[in-house]
Amino acid sequence: QLEIEWLDLNLLISPQDLDIRSELYNLHVILDEKVEDNGDMNVQIRIDAGDWRRLNRQSHNRLERCCIGDVPSFVEKDDWLTED
């Protein structure tokens, strides 16, 4: 049986990225959230690494950009999407 790699992360999600918050809610990974004065959502999550990778790809790395602090160590620069 494979062991799940859990990631405990804090995110700052802008009103423009509420679709990301919606996906996190649907995955049942939100532990706590607070609305900031400027409308941003400060969200604490616990998510398995596979779901993180999938959601980050689907969001074109917007999820990664919402991280407060370091992004997960398995995210390698070569995997990042670049904008031309």
Side-chain angles (χ1 to χ4, degrees):
Q1 182 176 3
L2 295 176
E3 187 174 326
I4 295 175
E5 180 184 0
W6 291 103
L7 305 172
D8 293 301
L9 301 167
N10 290 315
L11 308 173
L12 193 60
I13 301 174
S14 71
Q16 295 87 352
D17 291 324
L18 286 181
D19 58 318
I20 291 174
R21 189 248 174 237
S22 201
E23 284 292 326
L24 295 169
Y25 179 83
N26 290 336
L27 290 171
H28 305 286
V29 298
I30 296 176
L31 301 177
D32 191 30
E33 62 185 333
K34 176 184 162 197
V35 179
E36 301 293 332
D37 292 337
N38 65 358
D40 289 348
M41 299 285 299
N42 191 325
V43 181
Q44 180 184 1
I45 64 170
R46 181 172 176 86
I47 188 169
D48 85 59
D51 284 339
W52 168 267
R53 287 182 189 103
R54 181 185 54 75
L55 188 52
N56 194 47
R57 273 191 220 107
Q58 284 177 347
S59 71
H60 302 285
N61 289 2
R62 287 184 301 138
L63 178 59
E64 178 184 307
R65 290 184 209 121
C66 293
C67 277
I68 299 172
D70 295 332
V71 296
S73 60
F74 61 77
V75 176
E76 298 192 13
K77 207 167 199 166
D78 294 340
D79 293 337
W80 295 356
L81 297 176
T82 57
E83 297 175 1
D84 294 329

